[in-house]
Amino acid sequence: MNIAAAANEDMAYISNVLIYSAMAVYTLAFAAHSAEWVLGSRSKVGRTAAALTHHSSTAPAPAATMTKRKSSGTTVLEHTEVITRQPAPGSRDFPDGPGAAAGSRKGELYGRIALSLTVLAFLIHLGGVVARTWSVQRAPWANMYEFSTTFSMVAVSAYLLFLARGKNVRWIGLPLVTTVLLDLGLAVSVLYTESDQLVPALHSYWLWIHVSCAIISGAMFYLGALATVLYLFRDRYESKLTDPQGKQPGALAASVLERLPAATSLDRFAYRVNAVIFPLWTFTIIAGAIWAEAAWGRYWGWDPKETWSFITWVAYACYLHARATAGWKGRKAAYLALIGFACFIFNYYGVNMFINGLHSYAGV
C-alpha cells in the first residue's frame, strides 16, 4: 500500500470516528433540549403564558402607550396608561408562545447548553464530512451513506444560520436534533459504504453541482416540513381554544403547544422556506438532465429517480400555487407540502433501495 492510499484509509477512519463523536454530542444536545422543554413547562412564566393564551379569545390584551415629557430641555418617554384591546369573538389572532424555556431561568440555561452542544456537534459533524471528502478525493455524497451524513449536516447548518441571523427558530431545535440522530444512526448502521466505492457514471464535476443542490434543497424542504407538522398541531390546538362547545386540549399537549409560535407564524415560516428553495430544486432537476445527457446520451428517460424528482417538483408547485389561492390556504396547503416532502423521501430511500434504475447507487 502506497503512502497516499494509507493516508486516505486513515482519513476514512477519522471520518467515522468524528461522525460517531458528533452523534454522541447530538445526544447530549437532545437531552439538554428535552430538559429545556420540561423545566420550561414548570415555570411561572410558562403557566402565565398558558393562561394568557387560554383566555386570548375573551380577555383583553394590554398594550402600553408612551408620552413625551419635557425635562430640562430633554424629551423623556414615560409610560402613562395601559390600553386594552378586545379581540373579536372567535378570533384566531394568537400571539407567538414564549418558547421552549418559557422564561424559566433553568429552562433558559438548558436551552443555551443545548444550543452550544448543537454547535459543537455540527463542527464535529462537519469535520467528519470533510475527512470523508479527503479520504475519497471527491464530493462526499456519491452513495446513500455520504448523502445522509451531508444532508443532516446541511440541515443543522441552516438552523444555526437562521439563529445567527436573529430568527426566532429555537422551537425547531428538539425535533431537528432528534431526527438528525435518527438519520445518522441509520447511515452508520444500515447505509454505510466503504469510502472507495464509486459508480463510474458519477465521475463528473456534475456530482458537485447536481447532488449538492439536491442536498441543500432537501435540507430546506425538511425544515419546512418540520414547521408544517408543528403548524398542523398548533392550528388544532388553537381551534380547540376557540371551540364554541368548550372543547379544550389535554394538559400535556397544551404544555408543549402553548410555547410554540402561533399557527400563522409557523405557516409563514414553512411557506417562505419552501418558496425560497423551490427554484433551487427546479435547477437541481435541470442540472440532472444536463448530466444525464453527458453520461447516458439523453436528457430525460423517465428513470425512476427522474420520475419521482419530477413528482416532487409538481407536488411543491401545487403547494405554492395553493398558497396563492384563497380556498386552499391553511391546512389544505400544508397537506400538499407534506406530500411533496414525502415524495422527496421516497425518491431518496424508496427508489434507491427498492427500485432498480440508472440511478441505483445505494451500495446497500
Side-chain angles (χ1 to χ4, degrees):
M1 180 180 297
N2 57 40
I3 297 177
N8 291 342
E9 184 175 330
D10 290 341
M11 292 305 298
Y13 174 77
I14 292 173
S15 174
N16 294 339
V17 171
L18 289 174
I19 292 298
Y20 278 102
S21 299
M23 291 176 63
V25 181
Y26 278 128
T27 302
L28 295 176
F30 166 80
H33 274 299
S34 300
E36 179 187 17
W37 279 94
V38 171
L39 294 175
S41 67
R42 297 175 179 174
S43 72
K44 180 179 180 181
V45 175
R47 293 193 300 270
T48 303
L52 289 175
T53 304
H54 178 75
H55 294 94
S56 62
S57 60
T58 57
T65 60
M66 310 294 291
T67 59
K68 295 181 180 180
R69 175 172 59 83
K70 292 286 187 176
S71 176
S72 302
T74 303
T75 300
V76 180
L77 293 177
E78 60 180 6
H79 290 275
T80 57
E81 61 177 329
V82 174
I83 299 176
T84 59
R85 294 188 300 271
Q86 181 72 29
S91 172
R92 293 289 301 277
D93 188 19
F94 284 86
D96 289 342
S104 164
R105 290 185 178 181
K106 286 187 177 180
E108 182 64 25
L109 173 62
Y110 278 99
R112 293 180 180 276
I113 292 174
L115 181 57
S116 299
L117 289 171
T118 302
V119 172
L120 176 59
F122 164 74
L123 294 175
I124 299 173
H125 193 167
L126 174 62
V129 173
V130 171
R132 179 79 174 194
T133 306
W134 186 289
S135 71
V136 296
Q137 299 295 305
R138 54 166 171 77
W141 43 69
N143 50 62
M144 291 186 70
Y145 167 75
E146 295 172 356
F147 189 102
S148 295
T149 54
T150 308
F151 173 88
S152 55
M153 184 201 71
V154 173
V156 176
S157 69
Y159 165 68
L160 296 177
L161 182 61
F162 278 126
L163 288 174
R165 295 188 60 186
K167 304 298 182 182
N168 182 23
V169 293
R170 280 265 296 271
W171 45 269
I172 212 171
L174 179 59
L176 174 65
V177 170
T178 303
T179 47
V180 164
L181 274 171
L182 293 174
D183 175 72
L184 291 178
L186 182 63
V188 299
S189 62
V190 178
L191 304 178
Y192 183 76
T193 305
E194 294 296 334
S195 61
D196 60 349
Q197 294 187 13
L198 185 64
V199 173
L202 297 181
H203 286 283
S204 170
Y205 62 88
W206 283 105
L207 177 65
W208 289 94
I209 300 173
H210 170 63
V211 184
S212 65
C213 290
I215 291 173
I216 295 172
S217 299
M220 297 302 291
F221 282 148
Y222 165 66
L223 293 182
L226 279 180
T228 300
V229 170
L230 294 177
Y231 157 75
L232 292 173
F233 282 109
R234 172 76 188 201
D235 183 67
R236 181 73 68 184
Y237 167 76
E238 293 179 3
S239 297
K240 290 183 178 180
L241 291 180
T242 57
D243 187 272
Q245 298 179 355
K247 294 182 180 178
Q248 296 298 311
L252 180 59
S255 174
V256 174
L257 297 176
E258 71 192 8
R259 288 178 278 161
L260 289 175
T264 54
S265 298
L266 291 168
D267 185 44
R268 188 183 308 114
F269 175 82
Y271 169 69
R272 289 177 176 175
V273 167
N274 290 328
V276 166
I277 210 63
F278 181 74
L280 184 62
W281 180 248
T282 304
F283 173 76
T284 300
I285 296 176
I286 295 173
I290 296 173
W291 188 6
E293 196 280 331
W296 302 314
R298 88 301 187 271
Y299 289 99
W300 195 268
W302 295 105
D303 181 76
K305 184 164 286 290
E306 295 170 348
T307 302
W308 277 96
S309 295
F310 178 69
I311 292 174
T312 303
W313 184 91
V314 170
Y316 276 105
C318 290
Y319 162 74
L320 295 176
H321 177 72
R323 284 294 309 241
T325 305
W328 277 82
K329 289 183 178 180
R331 299 182 71 86
K332 291 181 180 179
Y335 292 138
L336 285 176
L338 292 181
I339 289 173
F341 187 68
C343 291
F344 178 87
I345 291 297
F346 179 78
N347 189 25
Y348 176 52
Y349 287 105
V351 172
N352 283 349
M353 299 179 71
F354 305 115
I355 301 178
N356 292 324
L358 293 174
H359 288 81
S360 299
Y361 55 84
V364 294

